[in-house]
Amino acid sequence: MQQIPVSLWTLVAGMAVTAFSVWVGHNHALLPEQASQQAPLVDGFFNIMFTIAIALFLVVESTILIFLVKFRRRRGDETDGLPIEGNVPLEIFWTAIPSVIVIGLGIYSVDVFNQMGGLEPGSHAHSPAHVAHSSGTALAATLNDIPEPTSAPSIGLGASRGESKPADLVVNVTGMQFAWIFEYPNGGVTTGELHIPVGADVQLNLSAQDVIHAFWVPQFRVKQDALPGIPTQLRFTATKTGTYPVVCAELCGGYHGSMRSQVIVHTPEAYDSWLKETQLAQKPDLQKAIAVNPADLSPSEFLAPHIQHLGVSAATLESIVKGQ
């Protein structure tokens, strides 16, 4: 019987490993659901890395198992193994393959980051334009020493798209130990959770009052640091309605784990309704009416708005109060 050439076995094994790795790399359940336009870009990059990792794992572990069986020590064999060293072609091969993989993943990651609007030449925090702002903002600085942001956010995911197309909704986000505060400058609303309409291009202007925080929504696949004294930006578009967690992804203190909030994605109609109701609830006059102290009113003044419900006249009510 004619023996099958090793090269043919290698080709078949390579095709099987490639097919299995590609299938596993695109049919796993390691990531949460996609809820933004940016999520498929990140997931595509992750799937490529996972596919390569699966292939390398199979090749390395299979080679170890084959060698353990084929080159095992036979009974009664007390001789030394063959001394093998200095295989230049083999060393070039196992150096070139990882190099090609790392360079390829690096180029791919930059392309994904650029598509998400994360790159803007000359706007990095270490560029000359930001050196003056970054001075004195070390972690050891006290709250009073931290300078206030003096310019619009020009770094962060989506910052490079700011001049080409204004966002549909802008929200100022402040991180502090240990909470997120959301301010809607065009709506006059301040809340402890983020409300946005589905399909809207949302721009978050991030800042921090004390230490470095990181605004992260896993389902959106977006994360951006909030830096003391340096404004940053995060821009995304939600594609599904629902409630998603907001997590601080930077170790920011003893209660870092409790620094959580949520982003609620409404339909456009539900968002407009929420905004109107919140604006009404946060009106200064309404807060004054709710906060009125009944101790400052006389019994007649306090009961006057309820005369109709009590079924008595104003004169009767006055006589009752005087009789007490």
Side-chain angles (χ1 to χ4, degrees):
M1 181 177 179
Q2 188 175 3
Q3 187 175 7
I4 300 176
V6 175
S7 58
L8 183 58
W9 278 113
T10 305
L11 177 62
V12 173
M15 294 175 62
V17 168
T18 302
F20 181 76
S21 302
V22 171
W23 184 84
V24 174
H26 292 76
N27 292 276
H28 59 81
L30 299 177
L31 299 174
E33 66 172 319
Q34 298 177 349
S36 75
Q37 289 184 357
Q38 289 71 27
L41 297 173
V42 178
D43 288 5
F45 181 61
F46 178 85
N47 291 340
I48 291 295
M49 289 195 301
F50 195 61
T51 299
I52 295 173
I54 292 294
L56 290 176
F57 176 82
L58 292 177
V59 170
V60 172
E61 297 301 321
S62 299
T63 302
I64 292 175
L65 292 176
I66 291 174
F67 277 50
L68 283 175
V69 174
K70 185 174 183 179
F71 299 103
R72 69 186 184 279
R73 187 175 70 87
R74 266 62 176 185
R75 185 183 301 275
D77 184 4
E78 301 296 337
T79 60
D80 294 333
L82 295 176
I84 300 175
E85 59 179 273
N87 193 325
V88 176
L90 183 58
E91 292 181 359
I92 293 176
F93 175 76
W94 69 41
T95 302
I97 294 300
S99 300
V100 171
I101 293 175
V102 171
I103 293 174
L105 289 178
I107 295 174
Y108 187 13
S109 66
V110 171
D111 179 64
V112 170
F113 195 58
N114 193 28
Q115 290 186 57
M116 297 174 69
L119 292 180
E120 184 183 19
S123 65
H124 192 269
H126 294 161
S127 67
H130 292 275
V131 169
H133 297 294
S134 62
S135 177
T137 57
L139 287 176
T142 63
L143 186 62
N144 294 330
D145 295 333
I146 298 173
E148 293 294 331
T150 56
S151 60
S154 58
I155 57 175
L157 286 178
S160 61
R161 293 184 295 163
E163 297 181 356
S164 60
K165 180 179 179 297
D168 299 326
L169 174 65
V170 178
V171 182
N172 296 329
V173 182
T174 303
M176 63 182 70
Q177 292 175 319
F178 298 93
W180 295 103
I181 303 299
F182 303 94
E183 178 188 3
Y184 294 73
N186 295 329
V189 170
T190 301
T191 67
E193 56 190 16
L194 179 62
H195 293 255
I196 60 174
V198 66
D201 184 10
V202 179
Q203 174 182 326
L204 304 183
N205 296 331
L206 295 162
S207 62
Q209 287 194 357
D210 32 46
V211 298
I212 298 176
H213 302 279
F215 186 93
W216 179 37
V217 183
Q219 284 75 11
F220 293 174
R221 311 290 197 274
V222 292
K223 181 176 77 67
Q224 178 60 54
D225 285 351
L227 308 172
I230 300 178
T232 57
Q233 183 183 120
L234 178 60
R235 198 159 166 171
F236 57 88
T237 301
T239 56
K240 292 182 180 178
T241 58
T243 300
Y244 307 100
V246 176
V247 182
C248 178
E250 198 79 38
L251 182 59
C252 59
Y255 296 96
H256 158 74
S258 64
M259 188 172 174
R260 290 174 174 267
S261 182
Q262 58 186 8
V263 51
I264 302 171
V265 183
H266 301 275
T267 61
E269 296 77 15
Y271 173 76
D272 291 338
S273 177
W274 168 84
L275 185 61
K276 291 178 181 177
E277 292 176 359
T278 307
Q279 287 174 331
L280 179 64
Q282 295 188 0
K283 274 188 175 181
D285 293 342
L286 183 60
Q287 289 179 343
K288 182 178 179 180
I290 294 175
V292 66
N293 185 0
D296 299 334
L297 304 176
S298 67
S300 298
E301 292 173 334
F302 179 73
L303 295 175
H306 309 286
I307 289 177
Q308 293 182 350
H309 301 289
L310 294 174
V312 297
S313 63
T316 304
L317 177 63
E318 185 69 19
S319 63
I320 294 174
V321 172
K322 288 182 178 180
Q324 289 180 343

